[in-house]
Structures are given as structure tokens and as C-alpha cells.
Amino acid sequence: MSDHPAYSTEAFSPSEEAEEPPPFEPDHDLPGAVMMIPNSHWGFEVVSATDHPGACVNYLPASREGVLVQGTDAENVRYPRTYLTVSPTVENGLFKDTAFKLVPRYFRLHKLKLYFPQRHIGSLGGTTLQHLRDELARLNPEE
């Protein structure tokens, strides 16, 4: 057993282990959330990775859907005008510059619930989220 608190059973009391996570509130938890989405849920498979980040730009309560944009390594982007690059921060949980494809993808709420809390890595700050929404609206005025 390691002396590191994250690996030590002494770091957690029995009452802490039994605590339930806070209830999932889609109106509050989804907009701005950054999650690692399995590639199969994006509709593709690659050998080099099992998942890609997704940023939720909006939650639509009437249809019970979240609007997500798919992220990829910014170094691999061929047409940067159709992407918005976000730098990593502690808040967003990204570990490298990530380019989000400005194409809305709709995910049903029941599927999004599967990603919380295990695949939730962070949240986009207010200005970054608004910039992503503005660019998405500019390139997709019909949506």
C-alpha cells in the first residue's frame, strides 16, 4: 500500500465511502461539462484511442438531449476554421490543446447520465463556453 493519500485506505473514513454523489441535475450539470465519450458513441473506432472528449454546449429539457461537440488533438486538425481550440486548464480537465469540431451532436439524456461522474473530467469556463456557442451558431445558423 502506498503512502500517497489517494492510494491509502486510511485517507477515507467509512462514512465518506458510504456518501452518495450529489444528484445529477442536467440543467445545471450538463452545460459546459467536458466528458470523455467512448468512440463508439461518436460513431467511429480508431486503434490509437478508445474515447475522445466532448463538450456539452447546451441541454434541451423538452427533448431531454444534450448538444455536444467532439474534441480531438489540435495538432491533427486539417481545417481549423471549422474547429475551436481550447487550451487545457485545471477547470476543464483537458491535458492538451483540444480542437472541438463545430458540428452539433445530440445525445439523449439517458446516455449522458452514463458519463457522470466517472467520465466527467471538467467544465468549460463561462467565456469559453459562450465563445464555443457563438462559433457553433455562426457555422450552423439553422440549428
Side-chain angles (χ1 to χ4, degrees), residues 29-90:
D29 295 334
L30 285 176
V34 179
M35 301 162 277
M36 294 305 293
I37 310 292
N39 289 343
S40 61
H41 293 193
W42 288 119
F44 65 88
E45 296 292 332
V46 294
V47 177
S48 61
T50 58
D51 51 18
H52 278 73
C56 184
V57 293
N58 205 357
Y59 173 65
L60 309 171
S63 60
R64 297 176 53 90
E65 293 177 310
V67 182
L68 277 70
V69 288
Q70 177 191 333
T72 191
D73 186 339
E75 292 182 6
N76 298 332
V77 172
R78 294 184 198 191
Y79 306 105
R81 286 186 285 166
T82 59
Y83 288 82
L84 178 71
T85 299
V86 176
S87 296
T89 66
V90 172

Side-chain angles (χ1 to χ4, degrees), residues 1-142:
M1 188 68 55
S2 169
D3 289 331
H4 190 279
Y7 299 107
S8 171
T9 57
E10 295 172 12
F12 303 102
S13 71
S15 63
E16 288 175 333
E17 288 179 32
E19 286 183 23
E20 297 265 335
F24 179 71
E25 297 177 23
D27 288 330
H28 176 265
D29 295 334
L30 285 176
V34 179
M35 301 162 277
M36 294 305 293
I37 310 292
N39 289 343
S40 61
H41 293 193
W42 288 119
F44 65 88
E45 296 292 332
V46 294
V47 177
S48 61
T50 58
D51 51 18
H52 278 73
C56 184
V57 293
N58 205 357
Y59 173 65
L60 309 171
S63 60
R64 297 176 53 90
E65 293 177 310
V67 182
L68 277 70
V69 288
Q70 177 191 333
T72 191
D73 186 339
E75 292 182 6
N76 298 332
V77 172
R78 294 184 198 191
Y79 306 105
R81 286 186 285 166
T82 59
Y83 288 82
L84 178 71
T85 299
V86 176
S87 296
T89 66
V90 172
E91 182 182 45
N92 66 30
L94 300 169
F95 59 92
K96 59 184 166 182
D97 285 348
T98 303
F100 288 98
K101 190 173 186 176
L102 298 171
V103 174
R105 300 285 303 269
Y106 296 83
F107 283 76
R108 302 286 300 163
L109 179 59
H110 72 273
K111 191 171 273 192
L112 292 172
K113 284 181 180 179
L114 299 174
Y115 307 140
F116 276 83
Q118 295 84 2
R119 291 181 164 271
H120 181 244
I121 62 170
S123 297
L124 298 177
T127 57
T128 303
L129 177 59
Q130 190 57 51
H131 190 205
L132 189 54
R133 286 175 172 165
D134 292 346
E135 287 300 300
L136 192 60
R138 183 181 62 80
L139 289 177
N140 303 279
E142 70 284 351

